[in-house]
Amino acid sequence: MLKRFLPNQHVQDIFEINPTMLKQKGIKGIITDLDNTLVAWNVPDATPEIVEWFNKMEENGIRVTIISNNNEKRVKLFSEPLKTPFVYSARKPFAKAFKKAAKQMKLSKDEIVVVGDQLMTDVLGGNSAGFYTILVVPIVKTDGVWTRINRRIERKILSWMRKKGLITWKE
Ligand SMILES: [Mg+2]
């Protein structure tokens, strides 16, 4: 059961995810989390590096959808300037938002990667919905209040996985 929390891949940050690596896997779309994945949870706008990352994906024909459990105001304000589709109040780890995003991108599950910084929402949700999942290291160590509760559980799962030898990366 706990294997549902195990990402297919683990990277340091979103910038390790690039069109070359995605194309090798036959990936045409990305479903990404927002807070602490693209920018710190308390930063309202995309940084120039993130804008460039989105542009690079677009140039290479890779579709990106942001799905976030955060509210409409936060997600809209961040996503609209990037002209990228988004789902707010997504209720991850439930599968609904992931499936909706895939449908809107007109891609099948095996053409999409799910990216995020949390096991309890992004990885569990992505895995359960049948996607390839990539875990990124959270941009900042602090979190909003709900995430703090998830992190506590997450730490327990991570230490269990480490003991089992399921993960080898450092914190
Ligand atoms: Mg997050």
Side-chain angles (χ1 to χ4, degrees):
M1 205 293 268
L2 278 169
K3 286 201 177 161
R4 284 239 161 158
F5 293 96
L6 191 68
N8 294 101
Q9 197 178 337
H10 176 265
V11 295
Q12 197 61 35
D13 56 46
I14 193 90
F15 305 110
E16 272 186 50
I17 300 167
N18 58 62
T20 316
M21 161 260 217
L22 294 172
K23 281 178 182 169
Q24 277 167 358
K25 293 183 197 295
I27 298 298
K28 294 175 183 156
I30 302 169
I31 293 174
T32 179
D33 174 50
L34 199 182
D35 295 322
N36 270 347
T37 297
L38 297 176
V39 294
W41 66 279
N42 52 1
V43 169
D45 298 311
T47 59
E49 292 79 18
I50 286 294
V51 174
E52 202 192 304
W53 185 85
F54 272 85
N55 289 339
K56 210 165 66 183
M57 291 304 166
E58 205 196 342
E59 283 161 20
N60 283 275
I62 293 170
R63 286 165 219 173
V64 185
T65 300
I66 295 171
I67 81 166
S68 170
N69 284 355
N70 213 330
N71 61 45
E72 179 176 6
K73 193 174 164 227
R74 156 64 162 159
V75 183
K76 218 174 169 175
L77 208 71
F78 180 89
S79 310
E80 276 185 348
L82 294 167
K83 296 182 178 62
T84 196
F86 57 89
V87 183
Y88 56 86
S89 307
R91 303 187 68 214
K92 292 180 277 184
F94 292 108
K96 199 177 164 190
F98 293 102
K99 287 182 179 163
K100 185 180 167 188
K103 204 175 166 192
Q104 282 176 350
M105 288 194 276
K106 296 189 175 71
L107 296 173
S108 66
K109 278 178 187 175
D110 53 5
E111 293 173 317
I112 297 170
V113 291
V114 169
V115 184
D117 69 301
Q118 277 199 80
L119 294 182
M120 303 290 297
T121 53
D122 309 309
V123 175
L124 176 61
N127 282 346
S128 303
F131 295 94
Y132 184 93
T133 50
I134 305 178
L135 181 71
V136 303
V137 178
I139 291 174
V140 293
K141 289 237 182 272
T142 59
D143 284 298
V145 59
W146 288 107
T147 307
R148 260 178 262 162
I149 298 161
N150 279 342
R151 291 284 183 214
R152 235 174 278 162
I153 307 166
E154 185 176 284
R155 275 195 293 273
K156 290 206 176 89
I157 299 168
L158 280 172
S159 79
W160 178 86
M161 284 182 186
R162 214 164 260 133
K163 258 183 248 160
K164 290 262 173 189
L166 290 171
I167 53 173
T168 49
W169 69 78
K170 287 180 213 87
E171 258 181 300

